[in-house]
Amino acid sequence: MPGAFEGETVTRRRFMEGVTHGAGLIAAASFGLPALGFAIGPIFQRQPFSWQIIGTPDDFTETSYVTKVITIVEGIGEAGKSIAYVRKRDPAIDDIGPQDKWDKYIALSSRCMHLGCPVRYVEAAARFICPCHGGVYNFRGQVAGGPPVRPLDRFYTYEPPPGHRGHGYVYLGPRYSVNSELQRFSPRDPGEPLDGIGQYLYPSRPSTAVRPSISNLPLPPAVPGTGS
Ligand code: FES
């Protein structure tokens, strides 16, 4: 080989080039990889959730929604608060969608499923109205008009039965999304439809894919100070 001693398979010049490039790569990676991890790490970090008490059964009726201030991100004060509209489940109205122990109270997110503006419940019309682009949702939270692509998101709710810890209180759990048939899906972002192939085109973010199975939801903790 030209430029190499007999028996060598690589020239010294090429060897030194390789060493220089390798050292440069290691130096770049030592700066770049931590920065990259810092930037995209939160995407894969599971958001913790905890059950929160939103009232007692007597606070709610089947015929109207009660506005509840809830905590969706803990530890950041007012910025982590949001609104949920809550009522008791009415079998005559809520005759589609899941009907299990996690759904005895209907808790709707106030976040519009078009671009995320806060919707407002209008009692006289029994509708949720979005002020941004005219999105309208019916009493069940399904889209009744305007640009929203799916019904309002919901939260798991739970009322512990007699003899169980936390009995006498209504708990609100993690958020989930629904399609137009009110079937449950892992939480999605606004603007992501869930009907048809939408559920495959818009998979849940790792940070918000809360629970793979509803049966894995841990029950609420005991109510502080009550022993129940
Ligand atoms: S954000 Fe609600 S209709 Fe556009």
Side-chain angles (χ1 to χ4, degrees), residues 112-117 119 130-135 137 147-148:
C112 181
M113 287 301 116
H114 177 219
L115 295 178
C117 288
V119 301
C130 179
C132 290
H133 313 100
Y137 303 83

Side-chain angles (χ1 to χ4, degrees), residues 89-99 103 106 140 142 154 179-183:
R89 178 182 188 85
D90 182 350
I93 297 171
D94 304 298
D95 53 353
I96 65 169
Q99 303 186 19
D103 209 37
I106 306 298
R140 290 193 294 209
Q142 295 163 297
R154 296 180 168 211
N179 64 8
S180 59
E181 301 297 317
L182 302 185
Q183 295 170 316

Side-chain angles (χ1 to χ4, degrees), residues 177-197:
S177 295
V178 292
N179 64 8
S180 59
E181 301 297 317
L182 302 185
Q183 295 170 316
R184 289 186 182 125
F185 290 85
S186 296
R188 303 299 208 274
D189 289 326
E192 299 180 345
L194 279 171
D195 291 313
I197 63 169

Side-chain angles (χ1 to χ4, degrees), residues 15 58 64 74 108 111 149 154-155 167 173 176 183 201 218:
F15 174 75
D58 292 341
S64 185
E74 297 194 15
L108 301 182
R111 199 174 178 205
V149 297
R154 296 180 168 211
F155 296 90
H167 174 64
Y176 62 91
Q183 295 170 316
L201 293 177

